[in-house]
Amino acid sequence: MALKNVIGIDHAVIMVKDLDKAAENYKRLGFTVSPRGTHSAHMGSGNYTIMFDPDYMELLGVLTPTEHNAPARAYLEKNGEGIERIAFTAVDSAEGAEEIRARGYPPIGPTDFERPVTMPDGTISAAKFRTFQWPTAEAPGGVRIFACQHKTRETVWIPELMKHANGAKRLKQVLIVTPEPADDAAQLASMIDREARVEPDGVIAVPSGGERADFVFLTKTQLGTRYPDVPLMGLPERGGAGLVIAADLAAAEKALGATGVKSAGGVVVPPAEGNGTMLAFVKA
């Protein structure tokens, strides 16, 4: 029985060391980046979002060290920048938390929080969320997972922020490198009640549900085979490696220019150019 209150990947969180510099970098890569959001003093973090349909990317940085952001700081210290966690869309976070508890995963939360949002007309509104996490120790392939219930979708999915010069439209895959793809894929499949599948090249995919992006677990060697000519320096031995993004390929090639590497039928931003995250643009 699949989880009733958790439907597919909502967004990918890219942990960065310098939040404003990372945002400028992603603008150079042709993304439309939201105004900076600041979380509560308890959270001590800030973010920029890159909105697609139905999902998005989040650049997350620590502004003030707090107990809450200790895991994020530990991640940066150990791995450097990159995909630190993945959020699922929660229909109802309170019920979703009970669903995973019934499956043997004591939830953290649900927790309510909000951040101010500058709307296109200059007014200030708020983005409000209710989230819950699987236990921190349960991190398949070194990537933590949580679920996010959006209480104010209209202040997050803003039409003006959803058009990108690089033609990006939505997430197709989250790529996770690991020496043990089968074990990590099985762990995630158990956590979200989904069936893993083996792809023709031996790579293992786990659907996230709701026709959203898949998780793809593979060794670094397999990643290099899938994306020849793409330098993979800067990736951890185990952890989030990249995102496959459905896009208008002509627009992506034009926007990325010399940064983009043609590979696997698409155009790819190497991890070193994407704040520790490989960005593979494929035809939508």
Side-chain angles (χ1 to χ4, degrees):
M1 283 289 291
L3 297 167
K4 290 187 177 68
N5 282 281
V6 177
I7 49 164
I9 289 175
D10 188 82
H11 63 279
V13 179
I14 300 172
M15 199 74 219
V16 298
K17 291 179 178 174
D18 186 316
L19 189 54
D20 295 334
K21 276 188 182 171
E24 287 305 316
N25 185 42
Y26 272 71
K27 287 177 188 173
R28 278 195 297 272
L29 296 174
F31 290 105
T32 300
V33 178
S34 73
R36 189 169 98 166
T38 304
H39 299 133
S40 66
H42 162 71
M43 293 176 76
S45 52
N47 74 344
Y48 289 93
T49 59
I50 296 168
M51 303 306 303
F52 306 135
D53 181 14
D55 44 37
Y56 65 101
M57 294 157 58
E58 176 182 7
L59 303 175
L60 182 68
V62 172
L63 304 180
T64 308
T66 68
E67 184 182 346
H68 180 86
N69 61 45
R73 286 182 285 119
Y75 173 90
L76 281 172
E77 189 70 31
K78 181 182 176 188
N79 295 314
E81 298 182 308
I83 300 168
E84 190 255 348
R85 69 193 102 146
I86 297 292
F88 290 79
T89 300
V91 180
D92 183 305
S93 280
E95 292 186 14
E98 291 312 309
E99 280 190 279
I100 69 165
R101 189 192 306 279
R103 286 160 172 77
Y105 297 102
I108 302 167
T111 304
D112 290 284
F113 72 98
E114 61 183 77
R115 59 177 169 81
V117 173
T118 304
M119 300 299 283
D121 64 2
T123 60
I124 303 295
S125 189
K128 300 181 181 183
F129 313 90
R130 174 172 288 172
T131 64
F132 70 91
Q133 299 178 46
W134 279 256
T136 306
E138 299 278 355
V143 177
R144 291 196 288 156
I145 65 171
F146 70 107
C148 180
Q149 177 184 348
H150 290 271
K151 296 194 284 188
T152 54
R153 293 185 69 85
E154 69 282 358
T155 62
V156 179
W157 275 270
I158 298 169
E160 290 87 341
L161 298 180
M162 295 168 67
K163 299 180 184 74
H164 304 278
N166 59 25
K169 298 186 185 306
R170 60 172 299 170
L171 300 177
K172 282 199 75 171
Q173 295 177 341
V174 174
L175 304 173
I176 299 174
V177 291
T178 164
E180 304 290 347
D183 291 348
D184 284 316
Q187 181 187 8
L188 176 66
S190 169
M191 291 168 73
I192 63 171
D193 249 349
R194 299 279 170 189
E195 292 286 328
R197 67 171 187 268
V198 181
E199 305 211 325
D201 59 355
V203 166
I204 303 175
V206 179
S208 72
E211 298 184 359
R212 303 287 182 92
D214 289 343
F215 289 87
V216 174
F217 292 86
L218 69 180
T219 64
K220 261 188 166 175
T221 301
Q222 286 173 319
L223 183 66
T225 302
R226 275 200 171 188
Y227 296 97
D229 309 315
V230 178
L232 299 178
M233 292 85 74
L235 291 181
E237 288 306 310
R238 182 172 183 263
L243 300 169
V244 178
I245 300 168
D248 175 331
L249 267 188
E253 283 187 30
K254 183 178 177 185
L256 295 172
T259 304
V261 178
K262 288 189 179 180
S263 186
V267 58
V268 182
V269 175
E273 304 293 336
N275 293 87
T277 305
M278 190 180 92
L279 304 168
F281 292 78
V282 299
K283 187 178 178 184

